[in-house]
Amino acid sequence: MKKILTVLCGGLIALTLFVTTGNTVKAAEQTNPAEVNDPDDCACHDVTKILGAERNKTVSNLISSNQFKQVEKDLKKDGLKWNGANSIEVIKFNATGQILVGVPFSNEQGTVEMYIFINGVLVGHNPM
């Protein structure tokens, strides 16, 4: 009798796990950054953030290029430090199809400057 009661209670518990409706804890919906920004704020609504394997390939090509190595060497002399490959941002302008790669460098005070590369060529930098 004890074994039958254990099996029935176990079955009841398993049934409630699979039959009950969802969980009260819900994950937040993923938002599109282009929709979050106000369109009048900037021209950011015409860009797409590149993620995944395509981003990794673009970042790999950039950090292995001679142009990037020279820029990193020059900035290291000026006291700036590269923040690592995981902090690199890759975006694509939808109108022109250009892919921009932003590489953050920081100084000892923690000020971050974003250095922008297009097709592996440094085109400028912007303090953040």
Side-chain angles (χ1 to χ4, degrees):
M1 185 74 179
K2 192 174 183 181
K3 289 182 181 181
I4 292 175
L5 186 61
T6 304
V7 170
L8 286 175
C9 288
L12 181 64
I13 291 172
L15 185 64
T16 58
L17 286 174
F18 295 113
V19 174
T20 59
T21 61
N23 193 344
T24 57
V25 179
K26 303 285 184 189
E29 254 185 61
Q30 188 174 14
T31 58
N32 185 352
E35 294 172 1
V36 173
N37 293 336
D38 183 19
D40 298 330
D41 190 24
C42 66
C44 298
H45 59 277
D46 196 29
V47 297
T48 303
K49 191 170 186 174
I50 297 178
L51 302 170
E54 187 178 355
R55 177 206 172 272
N56 293 343
K57 183 179 176 184
T58 304
V59 170
S60 174
N61 289 338
L62 175 70
I63 62 177
S64 64
S65 71
N66 291 330
Q67 172 76 25
F68 177 77
K69 290 176 183 176
Q70 185 62 42
V71 168
E72 182 184 15
K73 182 179 170 184
D74 293 342
L75 293 175
K76 190 177 270 189
K77 289 179 185 175
D78 295 338
L80 293 171
K81 182 179 82 170
W82 177 37
N83 293 346
N86 61 339
S87 62
I88 294 177
E89 296 181 17
V90 181
I91 61 171
K92 177 181 179 181
F93 277 111
N94 296 328
T96 61
Q98 286 182 320
I99 295 179
L100 277 70
V101 181
V103 183
F105 284 86
S106 58
N107 62 13
E108 294 171 357
Q109 292 81 22
T111 305
V112 178
E113 291 190 25
M114 187 69 80
Y115 284 77
I116 311 299
F117 292 83
I118 298 177
N119 296 329
V121 178
L122 178 67
V123 292
H125 70 281
N126 186 20
M128 293 180 68

Short mmCIF file of all heavy atoms in Angstrom, two decimals, residues 56-109:
data_model
loop_
_atom_site.label_atom_id
_atom_site.label_comp_id
_atom_site.label_asym_id
_atom_site.label_seq_id
_atom_site.Cartn_x
_atom_site.Cartn_y
_atom_site.Cartn_z
N ASN A 56 31.79 38.17 -35.28
CA ASN A 56 33.07 37.57 -34.90
C ASN A 56 34.05 37.53 -36.07
O ASN A 56 35.24 37.78 -35.88
CB ASN A 56 32.85 36.16 -34.37
CG ASN A 56 32.10 36.16 -33.05
OD1 ASN A 56 32.01 37.18 -32.38
ND2 ASN A 56 31.54 35.01 -32.70
N LYS A 57 33.56 37.25 -37.26
CA LYS A 57 34.42 37.22 -38.44
C LYS A 57 34.96 38.62 -38.75
O LYS A 57 36.15 38.80 -39.04
CB LYS A 57 33.64 36.68 -39.64
CG LYS A 57 34.46 36.53 -40.89
CD LYS A 57 33.63 35.96 -42.02
CE LYS A 57 34.43 35.91 -43.30
NZ LYS A 57 33.64 35.44 -44.43
N THR A 58 34.10 39.63 -38.67
CA THR A 58 34.51 41.01 -38.93
C THR A 58 35.54 41.46 -37.90
O THR A 58 36.55 42.08 -38.25
CB THR A 58 33.28 41.94 -38.90
OG1 THR A 58 32.32 41.48 -39.84
CG2 THR A 58 33.67 43.37 -39.23
N VAL A 59 35.31 41.16 -36.62
CA VAL A 59 36.24 41.54 -35.56
C VAL A 59 37.57 40.83 -35.75
O VAL A 59 38.64 41.44 -35.62
CB VAL A 59 35.64 41.24 -34.17
CG1 VAL A 59 36.67 41.39 -33.08
CG2 VAL A 59 34.45 42.16 -33.91
N SER A 60 37.54 39.56 -36.09
CA SER A 60 38.76 38.80 -36.30
C SER A 60 39.59 39.38 -37.45
O SER A 60 40.81 39.50 -37.34
CB SER A 60 38.41 37.34 -36.59
OG SER A 60 39.55 36.61 -36.93
N ASN A 61 38.91 39.73 -38.54
CA ASN A 61 39.63 40.33 -39.68
C ASN A 61 40.25 41.66 -39.29
O ASN A 61 41.36 41.97 -39.72
CB ASN A 61 38.68 40.51 -40.87
CG ASN A 61 38.30 39.20 -41.51
OD1 ASN A 61 38.99 38.21 -41.38
ND2 ASN A 61 37.17 39.19 -42.20
N LEU A 62 39.55 42.44 -38.48
CA LEU A 62 40.08 43.74 -38.09
C LEU A 62 41.29 43.60 -37.19
O LEU A 62 42.33 44.22 -37.45
CB LEU A 62 39.00 44.59 -37.39
CG LEU A 62 39.53 45.92 -36.86
CD1 LEU A 62 39.86 46.86 -38.01
CD2 LEU A 62 38.56 46.54 -35.92
N ILE A 63 41.17 42.80 -36.13
CA ILE A 63 42.28 42.75 -35.17
C ILE A 63 43.51 42.04 -35.71
O ILE A 63 44.59 42.18 -35.15
CB ILE A 63 41.84 42.15 -33.81
CG1 ILE A 63 41.38 40.71 -33.95
CG2 ILE A 63 40.79 43.00 -33.16
CD1 ILE A 63 41.02 40.06 -32.63
N SER A 64 43.35 41.32 -36.81
CA SER A 64 44.53 40.69 -37.42
C SER A 64 45.14 41.57 -38.52
O SER A 64 46.18 41.22 -39.06
CB SER A 64 44.16 39.32 -37.99
OG SER A 64 43.22 39.46 -39.03
N SER A 65 44.51 42.71 -38.81
CA SER A 65 45.04 43.58 -39.86
C SER A 65 46.21 44.42 -39.35
O SER A 65 46.32 44.73 -38.17
CB SER A 65 43.93 44.52 -40.38
OG SER A 65 43.62 45.49 -39.41
N ASN A 66 47.09 44.78 -40.27
CA ASN A 66 48.25 45.60 -39.92
C ASN A 66 47.85 47.00 -39.49
O ASN A 66 48.48 47.59 -38.61
CB ASN A 66 49.22 45.67 -41.10
CG ASN A 66 49.89 44.35 -41.37
OD1 ASN A 66 50.09 43.55 -40.46
ND2 ASN A 66 50.21 44.09 -42.62
N GLN A 67 46.79 47.56 -40.08
CA GLN A 67 46.30 48.90 -39.72
C GLN A 67 45.92 48.93 -38.24
O GLN A 67 46.30 49.83 -37.51
CB GLN A 67 45.11 49.28 -40.59
CG GLN A 67 44.40 50.55 -40.18
CD GLN A 67 45.14 51.81 -40.55
OE1 GLN A 67 45.91 51.81 -41.49
NE2 GLN A 67 44.90 52.87 -39.82
N PHE A 68 45.16 47.93 -37.78
CA PHE A 68 44.74 47.89 -36.38
C PHE A 68 45.94 47.72 -35.46
O PHE A 68 46.02 48.36 -34.41
CB PHE A 68 43.73 46.77 -36.15
CG PHE A 68 43.32 46.66 -34.71
CD1 PHE A 68 42.41 47.54 -34.16
CD2 PHE A 68 43.86 45.68 -33.89
CE1 PHE A 68 42.04 47.46 -32.84
CE2 PHE A 68 43.49 45.57 -32.56
CZ PHE A 68 42.58 46.47 -32.04
N LYS A 69 46.86 46.84 -35.83
CA LYS A 69 48.03 46.61 -34.99
C LYS A 69 48.86 47.88 -34.84
O LYS A 69 49.36 48.18 -33.75
CB LYS A 69 48.88 45.48 -35.58
CG LYS A 69 48.22 44.13 -35.47
CD LYS A 69 49.05 43.05 -36.15
CE LYS A 69 48.33 41.71 -36.10
NZ LYS A 69 49.05 40.67 -36.83
N GLN A 70 48.97 48.67 -35.91
CA GLN A 70 49.72 49.92 -35.85
C GLN A 70 48.99 50.95 -34.97
O GLN A 70 49.62 51.62 -34.17
CB GLN A 70 49.94 50.49 -37.26
CG GLN A 70 50.82 51.72 -37.29
CD GLN A 70 52.22 51.43 -36.78
OE1 GLN A 70 52.83 50.42 -37.10
NE2 GLN A 70 52.75 52.33 -35.96
N VAL A 71 47.67 51.04 -35.13
CA VAL A 71 46.89 51.97 -34.31
C VAL A 71 47.00 51.59 -32.84
O VAL A 71 47.20 52.45 -31.97
CB VAL A 71 45.41 51.99 -34.77
CG1 VAL A 71 44.52 52.71 -33.77
CG2 VAL A 71 45.29 52.63 -36.14
N GLU A 72 46.88 50.30 -32.53
CA GLU A 72 46.98 49.85 -31.15
C GLU A 72 48.36 50.16 -30.56
O GLU A 72 48.47 50.62 -29.42
CB GLU A 72 46.71 48.35 -31.07
CG GLU A 72 46.75 47.81 -29.66
CD GLU A 72 46.59 46.30 -29.59
OE1 GLU A 72 46.73 45.62 -30.63
OE2 GLU A 72 46.35 45.81 -28.49
N LYS A 73 49.39 49.98 -31.35
CA LYS A 73 50.76 50.26 -30.90
C LYS A 73 50.94 51.75 -30.62
O LYS A 73 51.50 52.13 -29.59
CB LYS A 73 51.74 49.80 -31.99
CG LYS A 73 53.18 49.97 -31.65
CD LYS A 73 54.05 49.45 -32.80
CE LYS A 73 55.48 49.81 -32.62
NZ LYS A 73 56.30 49.39 -33.77
N ASP A 74 50.42 52.61 -31.51
CA ASP A 74 50.53 54.05 -31.32
C ASP A 74 49.74 54.52 -30.10
O ASP A 74 50.20 55.39 -29.35
CB ASP A 74 50.04 54.80 -32.57
CG ASP A 74 50.94 54.56 -33.78
OD1 ASP A 74 52.10 54.12 -33.59
OD2 ASP A 74 50.48 54.81 -34.92
N LEU A 75 48.56 53.97 -29.91
CA LEU A 75 47.73 54.37 -28.78
C LEU A 75 48.30 53.88 -27.45
O LEU A 75 48.14 54.54 -26.42
CB LEU A 75 46.30 53.88 -28.96
CG LEU A 75 45.53 54.53 -30.10
CD1 LEU A 75 44.17 53.89 -30.27
CD2 LEU A 75 45.39 56.03 -29.88
N LYS A 76 48.97 52.73 -27.48
CA LYS A 76 49.59 52.21 -26.27
C LYS A 76 50.70 53.15 -25.82
O LYS A 76 50.88 53.39 -24.62
CB LYS A 76 50.15 50.81 -26.52
CG LYS A 76 50.59 50.11 -25.25
CD LYS A 76 51.07 48.71 -25.54
CE LYS A 76 49.89 47.78 -25.45
NZ LYS A 76 50.27 46.36 -25.50
N LYS A 77 51.42 53.75 -26.79
CA LYS A 77 52.46 54.73 -26.45
C LYS A 77 51.86 55.97 -25.80
O LYS A 77 52.48 56.60 -24.96
CB LYS A 77 53.23 55.14 -27.71
CG LYS A 77 54.13 54.08 -28.26
CD LYS A 77 54.83 54.57 -29.52
CE LYS A 77 55.63 53.47 -30.15
NZ LYS A 77 56.23 53.89 -31.44
N ASP A 78 50.62 56.30 -26.20
CA ASP A 78 49.93 57.47 -25.65
C ASP A 78 49.21 57.16 -24.33
O ASP A 78 48.53 58.03 -23.78
CB ASP A 78 48.90 58.02 -26.65
CG ASP A 78 49.56 58.56 -27.91
OD1 ASP A 78 50.76 58.90 -27.86
OD2 ASP A 78 48.86 58.65 -28.94
N GLY A 79 49.33 55.95 -23.82
CA GLY A 79 48.73 55.59 -22.54
C GLY A 79 47.32 55.05 -22.64
O GLY A 79 46.64 54.92 -21.62
N LEU A 80 46.85 54.73 -23.84
CA LEU A 80 45.52 54.16 -24.00
C LEU A 80 45.61 52.64 -24.06
O LEU A 80 46.58 52.08 -24.56
CB LEU A 80 44.84 54.70 -25.25
CG LEU A 80 44.49 56.18 -25.23
CD1 LEU A 80 44.02 56.64 -26.59
CD2 LEU A 80 43.42 56.46 -24.20
N LYS A 81 44.57 51.98 -23.56
CA LYS A 81 44.56 50.52 -23.51
C LYS A 81 43.32 50.01 -24.23
O LYS A 81 42.22 50.51 -24.03
CB LYS A 81 44.54 50.07 -22.05
CG LYS A 81 44.58 48.58 -21.86
CD LYS A 81 44.58 48.23 -20.38
CE LYS A 81 43.14 48.27 -19.91
NZ LYS A 81 42.92 47.75 -18.58
N TRP A 82 43.51 48.99 -25.06
CA TRP A 82 42.41 48.35 -25.78
C TRP A 82 41.59 47.54 -24.78
O TRP A 82 42.12 46.81 -23.96
CB TRP A 82 42.99 47.48 -26.88
CG TRP A 82 41.99 46.69 -27.67
CD1 TRP A 82 40.76 47.08 -28.05
CD2 TRP A 82 42.16 45.37 -28.17
NE1 TRP A 82 40.14 46.08 -28.77
CE2 TRP A 82 40.98 45.02 -28.85
CE3 TRP A 82 43.18 44.45 -28.13
CZ2 TRP A 82 40.81 43.80 -29.47
CZ3 TRP A 82 43.01 43.24 -28.75
CH2 TRP A 82 41.85 42.92 -29.41
N ASN A 83 40.27 47.64 -24.86
CA ASN A 83 39.39 46.99 -23.89
C ASN A 83 39.08 45.53 -24.21
O ASN A 83 38.36 44.89 -23.47
CB ASN A 83 38.08 47.77 -23.77
CG ASN A 83 38.30 49.13 -23.15
OD1 ASN A 83 39.34 49.41 -22.58
ND2 ASN A 83 37.32 49.98 -23.26
N GLY A 84 39.57 45.01 -25.31
CA GLY A 84 39.36 43.60 -25.65
C GLY A 84 38.36 43.41 -26.77
O GLY A 84 37.54 44.28 -27.05
N ALA A 85 38.40 42.25 -27.39
CA ALA A 85 37.56 41.97 -28.55
C ALA A 85 36.08 41.90 -28.19
O ALA A 85 35.22 42.17 -29.02
CB ALA A 85 38.00 40.66 -29.21
N ASN A 86 35.75 41.54 -26.95
CA ASN A 86 34.34 41.41 -26.57
C ASN A 86 33.64 42.76 -26.48
O ASN A 86 32.42 42.82 -26.51
CB ASN A 86 34.20 40.66 -25.25
CG ASN A 86 34.89 41.36 -24.11
OD1 ASN A 86 35.77 42.18 -24.31
ND2 ASN A 86 34.52 41.01 -22.89
N SER A 87 34.39 43.85 -26.38
CA SER A 87 33.78 45.18 -26.28
C SER A 87 33.65 45.89 -27.63
O SER A 87 33.13 46.99 -27.70
CB SER A 87 34.58 46.05 -25.31
OG SER A 87 35.89 46.22 -25.80
N ILE A 88 34.13 45.26 -28.70
CA ILE A 88 34.06 45.87 -30.03
C ILE A 88 32.63 45.82 -30.55
O ILE A 88 31.95 44.81 -30.42
CB ILE A 88 35.01 45.14 -31.00
CG1 ILE A 88 36.46 45.36 -30.55
CG2 ILE A 88 34.82 45.62 -32.43
CD1 ILE A 88 37.49 44.63 -31.39
N GLU A 89 32.17 46.94 -31.11
CA GLU A 89 30.82 47.02 -31.67
C GLU A 89 30.90 47.07 -33.19
O GLU A 89 31.73 47.77 -33.75
CB GLU A 89 30.11 48.26 -31.15
CG GLU A 89 29.88 48.23 -29.66
CD GLU A 89 29.15 49.45 -29.16
OE1 GLU A 89 28.54 50.17 -29.98
OE2 GLU A 89 29.19 49.68 -27.95
N VAL A 90 30.00 46.33 -33.85
CA VAL A 90 29.95 46.27 -35.31
C VAL A 90 28.54 46.64 -35.74
O VAL A 90 27.57 46.05 -35.29
CB VAL A 90 30.32 44.86 -35.83
CG1 VAL A 90 30.29 44.82 -37.34
CG2 VAL A 90 31.68 44.42 -35.30
N ILE A 91 28.44 47.68 -36.60
CA ILE A 91 27.13 48.08 -37.11
C ILE A 91 27.21 48.22 -38.62
O ILE A 91 28.28 48.38 -39.20
CB ILE A 91 26.64 49.41 -36.48
CG1 ILE A 91 27.60 50.55 -36.79
CG2 ILE A 91 26.40 49.26 -35.01
CD1 ILE A 91 27.08 51.91 -36.38
N LYS A 92 26.05 48.16 -39.24
CA LYS A 92 25.95 48.28 -40.69
C LYS A 92 24.97 49.40 -41.01
O LYS A 92 23.86 49.44 -40.50
CB LYS A 92 25.45 46.97 -41.29
CG LYS A 92 25.25 47.02 -42.78
CD LYS A 92 24.72 45.68 -43.29
CE LYS A 92 24.49 45.73 -44.78
NZ LYS A 92 23.96 44.46 -45.27
N PHE A 93 25.42 50.36 -41.86
CA PHE A 93 24.51 51.39 -42.36
C PHE A 93 23.66 50.75 -43.44
O PHE A 93 24.17 50.28 -44.45
CB PHE A 93 25.28 52.59 -42.93
CG PHE A 93 25.71 53.55 -41.88
CD1 PHE A 93 27.05 53.70 -41.58
CD2 PHE A 93 24.79 54.32 -41.20
CE1 PHE A 93 27.46 54.60 -40.61
CE2 PHE A 93 25.18 55.21 -40.23
CZ PHE A 93 26.52 55.35 -39.93
N ASN A 94 22.35 50.73 -43.24
CA ASN A 94 21.45 50.08 -44.18
C ASN A 94 21.40 50.79 -45.53
O ASN A 94 21.25 50.15 -46.57
CB ASN A 94 20.05 49.96 -43.59
CG ASN A 94 20.04 49.08 -42.36
OD1 ASN A 94 20.81 48.14 -42.25
ND2 ASN A 94 19.18 49.40 -41.43
N ALA A 95 21.53 52.12 -45.53
CA ALA A 95 21.42 52.88 -46.78
C ALA A 95 22.60 52.61 -47.71
O ALA A 95 22.42 52.44 -48.92
CB ALA A 95 21.33 54.37 -46.47
N THR A 96 23.82 52.56 -47.15
CA THR A 96 25.01 52.41 -47.99
C THR A 96 25.61 51.01 -47.95
O THR A 96 26.39 50.66 -48.82
CB THR A 96 26.10 53.40 -47.55
OG1 THR A 96 26.47 53.11 -46.20
CG2 THR A 96 25.62 54.83 -47.68
N GLY A 97 25.27 50.24 -46.92
CA GLY A 97 25.84 48.90 -46.79
C GLY A 97 27.21 48.87 -46.16
O GLY A 97 27.83 47.81 -46.06
N GLN A 98 27.72 50.03 -45.71
CA GLN A 98 29.03 50.09 -45.08
C GLN A 98 28.98 49.44 -43.70
O GLN A 98 28.00 49.59 -42.96
CB GLN A 98 29.49 51.53 -44.91
CG GLN A 98 29.94 52.20 -46.16
CD GLN A 98 30.43 53.60 -45.87
OE1 GLN A 98 29.84 54.32 -45.07
NE2 GLN A 98 31.50 53.99 -46.52
N ILE A 99 30.04 48.74 -43.35
CA ILE A 99 30.15 48.13 -42.04
C ILE A 99 31.18 48.91 -41.24
O ILE A 99 32.33 49.04 -41.66
CB ILE A 99 30.53 46.64 -42.15
CG1 ILE A 99 29.40 45.88 -42.83
CG2 ILE A 99 30.83 46.07 -40.77
CD1 ILE A 99 29.65 44.42 -43.02
N LEU A 100 30.75 49.44 -40.10
CA LEU A 100 31.61 50.21 -39.21
C LEU A 100 31.94 49.37 -37.98
O LEU A 100 31.06 48.70 -37.43
CB LEU A 100 30.92 51.49 -38.75
CG LEU A 100 30.99 52.68 -39.69
CD1 LEU A 100 30.16 52.47 -40.92
CD2 LEU A 100 30.59 53.93 -38.98
N VAL A 101 33.19 49.43 -37.59
CA VAL A 101 33.64 48.70 -36.41
C VAL A 101 34.17 49.73 -35.41
O VAL A 101 35.07 50.50 -35.72
CB VAL A 101 34.76 47.69 -36.77
CG1 VAL A 101 35.19 46.91 -35.55
CG2 VAL A 101 34.29 46.76 -37.87
N GLY A 102 33.56 49.75 -34.24
CA GLY A 102 33.97 50.66 -33.18
C GLY A 102 34.78 49.92 -32.14
O GLY A 102 34.31 48.96 -31.54
N VAL A 103 36.02 50.38 -31.92
CA VAL A 103 36.91 49.74 -30.96
C VAL A 103 37.17 50.71 -29.81
O VAL A 103 37.75 51.77 -30.02
CB VAL A 103 38.26 49.35 -31.62
CG1 VAL A 103 39.15 48.62 -30.64
CG2 VAL A 103 38.03 48.51 -32.86
N PRO A 104 36.71 50.36 -28.59
CA PRO A 104 36.92 51.26 -27.45
C PRO A 104 38.32 51.11 -26.86
O PRO A 104 38.80 50.00 -26.63
CB PRO A 104 35.85 50.84 -26.46
CG PRO A 104 35.54 49.43 -26.80
CD PRO A 104 35.84 49.26 -28.27
N PHE A 105 38.96 52.25 -26.63
CA PHE A 105 40.23 52.33 -25.93
C PHE A 105 40.02 53.22 -24.73
O PHE A 105 39.31 54.22 -24.81
CB PHE A 105 41.32 52.93 -26.83
CG PHE A 105 41.84 52.00 -27.89
CD1 PHE A 105 41.21 51.88 -29.10
CD2 PHE A 105 42.99 51.24 -27.66
CE1 PHE A 105 41.69 51.03 -30.09
CE2 PHE A 105 43.47 50.38 -28.65
CZ PHE A 105 42.83 50.28 -29.85
N SER A 106 40.63 52.88 -23.60
CA SER A 106 40.46 53.70 -22.40
C SER A 106 41.82 54.10 -21.85
O SER A 106 42.82 53.41 -22.04
CB SER A 106 39.66 52.93 -21.35
OG SER A 106 40.30 51.72 -21.02
N ASN A 107 41.81 55.24 -21.14
CA ASN A 107 43.04 55.70 -20.50
C ASN A 107 43.02 55.32 -19.02
O ASN A 107 42.09 54.66 -18.55
CB ASN A 107 43.24 57.21 -20.71
CG ASN A 107 42.13 58.03 -20.09
OD1 ASN A 107 41.33 57.54 -19.30
ND2 ASN A 107 42.08 59.29 -20.46
N GLU A 108 44.02 55.77 -18.27
CA GLU A 108 44.15 55.38 -16.86
C GLU A 108 43.02 55.96 -16.01
O GLU A 108 42.67 55.40 -14.98
CB GLU A 108 45.51 55.82 -16.33
CG GLU A 108 46.66 55.09 -16.98
CD GLU A 108 48.00 55.68 -16.61
OE1 GLU A 108 48.04 56.70 -15.89
OE2 GLU A 108 49.01 55.13 -17.07
N GLN A 109 42.43 57.09 -16.42
CA GLN A 109 41.34 57.70 -15.66
C GLN A 109 40.00 57.03 -15.95
O GLN A 109 39.00 57.34 -15.32
CB GLN A 109 41.22 59.20 -15.98
CG GLN A 109 42.37 60.04 -15.47
CD GLN A 109 43.59 59.99 -16.38
OE1 GLN A 109 43.47 59.68 -17.56
NE2 GLN A 109 44.75 60.27 -15.82
#
